[in-house]
Amino acid sequence: MAASGEPGRQWQEQVAAAVVVVGSCMTDLVSLTSRLPKTGETIHGQKFFIGFGGKGANQCVQAARLGAKTSMVGKVGKDSFGNDYIENLKQNDISTEFTYQTEDAATGTASIIVNNEVKTLFNPAPAIADLDPRFYTLSDVFCCNESEAEILTGLEVRSPEDAGQAAQVLLERGCCIVIITLGAEGCVMLSRTEPVPKHIPTEKVKAVDTTGAGDSFVGALAFYLAYYPNLSLEEMIKRSNFIAAVSVQATGTQSSYPYKKDLPLYLF
Ligand SMILES: Nc1ncnc2c1ncn2[C@@H]1O[C@H](COP(=O)(O)OP(=O)(O)O)[C@@H](O)[C@H]1O
Ligand SMILES: *[C@@H]1O[C@H](CO)[C@@H](O)[C@H](O)[C@H]1NC(C)=O
Ligand SMILES: *[C@@H]1O[C@H](CO)[C@@H](O)[C@H](O)[C@H]1NC(C)=O
């Protein structure tokens, strides 16, 4: 199916991906309306557009736009949305060798990001309270947002202090490194080697659309883990915060993710 000369094709045959994402690819059908329709009601919309989403693919796209060699492992439907999605991945220079097309509906649950030394970054989205306990012990970095942390721990997470306590619980379940993202508050990190929660604030920006900010953050973090393993975790998080803060300043999900060329040089 793929012709030679397509962008991204060359390295796919020769170089293994440094960031492999296992997760969902979803087509977002977005209608802009002044209000939600009542059950059975038809209302006029102002605008409609189709976007590329799915937490796994979002993370993969952000890592690729920063310059990572990436591969997307997942399934899309055997239909025009699926075909368009595969084309979107290729446009972003992502290997689609393991992006399969199926007759069954695609279901997105969790995503795992792995690099070649098999460092795993696990993002429990959407979270379930009785997550298989092996996910805690088998991932190197466990990264979730505040509501996911609440579901997983049963604790209320409304502040960096709360997040520190929830991170402590997740660490006790076997994680090596826990990161809880807190929207405009940045995030909190906790690790076995530094078992005191650390709040890492982010830039003060004018947020336009925060959809997909968490995936931008996770994708950027995967990029740094794979390409800048010598950076301290705190530095990787600071840079990922910066990139995610850029993404909230434009509308859309993948459409708001910055490319390396649009970012300050000191991030690379
Ligand atoms: N309003 C904001 N201003 C600046 N950065 C933000 C803002 N919202 C999100 N971010 C960045 O995106 C990251 C993830 O956001 P968050 O809202 O926690 O994730 P999710 O999209 O999963 O809900 C944050 O840790 C931060 O770096
Ligand atoms: C956290 O991520 C989930 C997806 O798992 C999303 O539904 C939820 O809105 C996010 N929470 C916050 C506070 O952004
Ligand atoms: C990273 O650290 C390793 C071992 O500590 C070293 O060999 C390597 O040169 C470093 N790489 C960079 C880019 O600094």
Side-chain angles (χ1 to χ4, degrees), residues 227-231:
Y227 285 89
Y228 294 86
N230 290 4
L231 287 180

Side-chain angles (χ1 to χ4, degrees), residues 26-261:
M26 304 284 186
T27 303
D28 298 331
L29 304 176
V30 186
S31 300
L32 302 185
T33 59
S34 49
R35 61 178 177 85
L36 292 175
K38 297 192 186 86
T39 308
E41 188 193 12
T42 302
I43 60 169
H44 282 283
Q46 280 82 45
K47 243 185 194 166
F48 171 81
F49 60 88
I50 295 178
F52 297 107
K55 299 190 73 71
N58 290 345
Q59 295 165 12
C60 199
V61 165
Q62 180 63 89
R65 287 189 185 174
L66 298 176
K69 300 276 183 235
T70 55
S71 180
M72 183 68 210
V73 181
K75 270 184 188 168
V76 293
K78 212 173 190 141
D79 47 30
S80 59
F81 286 146
N83 296 342
D84 288 351
Y85 212 109
I86 289 189
E87 189 51 39
N88 172 54
L89 294 174
K90 287 182 179 162
Q91 291 287 328
N92 280 283
D93 226 358
I94 294 167
S95 166
T96 56
E97 198 179 341
F98 304 105
T99 316
Y100 300 103
Q101 285 190 280
T102 172
E103 305 281 354
D104 306 331
T107 48
T109 49
S111 52
I112 302 168
I113 297 180
V114 185
N115 81 1
N116 287 354
E117 291 158 298
V118 197
K119 211 174 213 107
T120 58
L121 194 169
F122 182 67
N123 175 220
I128 45 169
D130 59 346
L131 182 70
D132 186 325
R134 284 173 297 182
F135 281 115
Y136 298 110
T137 53
L138 293 177
S139 47
D140 296 299
V141 181
F142 191 96
C143 180
C144 62
N145 70 16
E146 50 201 303
S147 31
E148 289 154 356
E150 286 189 353
I151 292 168
L152 295 167
T153 64
L155 299 173
E156 190 171 88
V157 181
R158 293 290 142 81
S159 65
E161 293 69 39
D162 293 349
Q165 283 173 10
Q168 207 84 53
V169 170
L170 297 174
L171 200 73
E172 279 158 21
R173 291 187 187 164
C175 299
C176 292
I177 294 169
V178 178
I179 300 168
I180 299 179
T181 63
L182 299 164
E185 288 274 15
C187 51
V188 162
M189 73 173 228
L190 182 64
S191 68
R192 272 203 218 148
T193 50
E194 270 181 80
V196 179
K198 193 162 210 169
H199 178 211
I200 304 166
T202 185
E203 317 295 307
K204 289 248 176 301
V205 298
K206 193 168 175 293
V208 174
D209 181 355
T210 60
T211 320
D215 296 333
S216 171
F217 178 88
V218 172
L221 188 61
F223 167 78
Y224 287 114
L225 286 165
Y227 285 89
Y228 294 86
N230 290 4
L231 287 180
S232 69
L233 182 68
E234 184 173 351
E235 184 58 30
M236 291 187 200
I237 292 174
K238 278 186 185 157
R239 295 183 191 194
S240 302
N241 266 343
F242 185 97
I243 290 163
V246 170
S247 83
V248 305
Q249 294 174 69
T251 54
T253 303
Q254 291 180 16
S255 54
S256 70
Y257 291 177
Y259 289 84
K260 182 176 183 176
K261 65 174 172 53

